[in-house]
Each structure stands twice: as C-alpha cells, then as structure tokens.
Amino acid sequence: MKNLLLKTLALAAFAVSANAHAVTDISGDFLSGYTGSRDAAFDVLSADVSYNAGTNEFVFRTTAAGAIAGVNGAAYVFGLDAGGATVAPFTSVGLPGAVFNRTVTLRANGTAGAGATPITEHIVGDQIFATVSASLLPSNGRDFKDYTWTVWSIDTNVSGLGRLADFAPDANIKVTAVPEPATYGMLLGGLGLLGMVARRRAGSGAGK
C-alpha cells in the first residue's frame, strides 16, 4: 500500500514539474554587436512563459540583473511561435533558432503590448511581468499549451540589430503548461492517503 501511495505522489510531482520551462541566463552576456546602454536592466537573468488552460491566459515574466522601472529605453520582447509560418530575423547575429509570429513587449516605462494591443504590466524591482489573454495571441493551428517562445532585451534608443542586448533562451522552447486541477487533486489525494496510513500505524503502535 505504501509503495503504491509513494508512486502516486511521485507521478503527481512529475506531472507538476515536467512542464517547467523557466530558463536562466548568465550575467553580462550581452550580444557582441550590442551598441546600447549597459545598464543592468538590459541584462536578462531569467524568464518564463506559462499558459493556464483554466483561465485561457499566458503569463510573461522576466528578471533582469538590476532594477527595471524607468530605465531609459529598456524593453523585453517575447517572440512566440503560434504555428504556421514564422520569421527568423536574427540569423545574422547567430540566433537562427529564435523564430516567432506573435510578440508581447514589456517596457521599463510602464507600457506594454500584445502585438499592437495595449496590455497591463507590472514591475517589481528587477522583475517585469504581465498576464495576457490567449485571444490576443491567436493560434495558427498550434494548441496554446504547445506555443514556443524566446525573449530578448532591447534598447529602444538604438536602431537596427545593434539594439539587441540579451536573449534568454537563444532558441525557442515550449511554454510552461499550468497543471490541470485534476493533477493537484491527485497530489492532494495521495498526501491524504499517506496521512491516513501514518495515523493508523501510530494508533496501532500505541495499542501494543
């Protein structure tokens, strides 16, 4: 019985963690052709994109090496592959795997957009994030949970490829799929059963 419960918990934990695709990036790895500001806000340290099927929303999040709010020209562009034809404009700077056909842009000046549609963003210290309805990032045949993404920081005061500061990751990866309620139910149920077994054993031990 105990082994079965442990296997249940292990499967539930795997289901919760298997879809985690948050990425980390080393500090100070600006692109060699970058000509913009070297403020720490342009240095991406981690990023994540998750999709919640229950709310039909994406969450976009980036952490920089320094405080973000108000940094002149700092912006973070999430490129998403929603299926179908994509563009790969960064091959010349050694990043052919960064492809996209949808974008979400978060800016240090407090403005943000899903494509051309304004959205609400939040900045807390070195983090910037936003929740975006999937309806603003329509599919070209791919399930929302199967979208792939990458993010790059830019200095909007610079034109051309010289504005590209840092990528995380350097090629698209799959979004994080928020676990379905049934997965949490399985995990909680397994924990409850383990608790019952522990209480029964404790009771049996006390009666000896």
Side-chain angles (χ1 to χ4, degrees), residues 37-123:
S37 168
R38 295 280 170 155
D39 188 283
F42 293 90
D43 187 7
V44 176
L45 296 185
S46 67
D48 182 55
V49 179
S50 63
Y51 172 68
N52 187 329
T55 61
N56 198 35
E57 293 174 324
F58 289 93
V59 175
F60 298 84
R61 186 185 310 272
T62 295
T63 301
I68 292 173
V71 174
N72 185 25
Y76 311 87
V77 184
F78 289 86
L80 296 111
D81 180 354
T86 59
V87 295
F90 309 126
T91 300
S92 63
V93 293
L95 297 164
V99 300
F100 58 96
N101 47 27
R102 300 283 182 271
T103 60
V104 169
T105 304
L106 310 182
R107 303 180 183 88
N109 66 7
T111 65
T117 303
I119 58 174
T120 299
E121 68 174 25
H122 304 278
I123 302 175

Side-chain angles (χ1 to χ4, degrees), residues 24-30 40 43-45 64-65 166:
T24 57
D25 192 50
I26 63 175
S27 178
D29 62 332
F30 291 111
D43 187 7
V44 176
L45 296 185
D166 193 15

Side-chain angles (χ1 to χ4, degrees), residues 5-191:
L5 292 173
L6 289 174
K7 286 180 180 179
T8 299
L9 285 175
L11 286 171
F14 177 79
V16 170
S17 64
N19 288 317
H21 291 89
V23 297
T24 57
D25 192 50
I26 63 175
S27 178
D29 62 332
F30 291 111
L31 270 66
S32 60
Y34 178 54
T35 60
S37 168
R38 295 280 170 155
D39 188 283
F42 293 90
D43 187 7
V44 176
L45 296 185
S46 67
D48 182 55
V49 179
S50 63
Y51 172 68
N52 187 329
T55 61
N56 198 35
E57 293 174 324
F58 289 93
V59 175
F60 298 84
R61 186 185 310 272
T62 295
T63 301
I68 292 173
V71 174
N72 185 25
Y76 311 87
V77 184
F78 289 86
L80 296 111
D81 180 354
T86 59
V87 295
F90 309 126
T91 300
S92 63
V93 293
L95 297 164
V99 300
F100 58 96
N101 47 27
R102 300 283 182 271
T103 60
V104 169
T105 304
L106 310 182
R107 303 180 183 88
N109 66 7
T111 65
T117 303
I119 58 174
T120 299
E121 68 174 25
H122 304 278
I123 302 175
V124 179
D126 59 0
Q127 292 192 27
I128 187 168
F129 52 95
T131 300
V132 180
S133 170
S135 64
L136 296 179
L137 301 166
S139 171
N140 285 342
R142 176 172 290 172
D143 287 342
F144 292 129
K145 64 180 177 60
D146 294 324
Y147 279 23
T148 65
W149 66 277
T150 185
V151 64
W152 55 94
S153 55
I154 63 173
D155 185 339
T156 61
N157 296 312
V158 177
S159 60
L161 294 175
R163 65 170 35 200
L164 300 174
D166 193 15
F167 277 73
D170 292 343
N172 286 40
I173 62 170
K174 191 176 177 182
V175 302
T176 300
V178 175
E180 297 289 339
T183 300
Y184 288 117
M186 182 171 65
L187 180 59
L188 292 173
L191 288 171

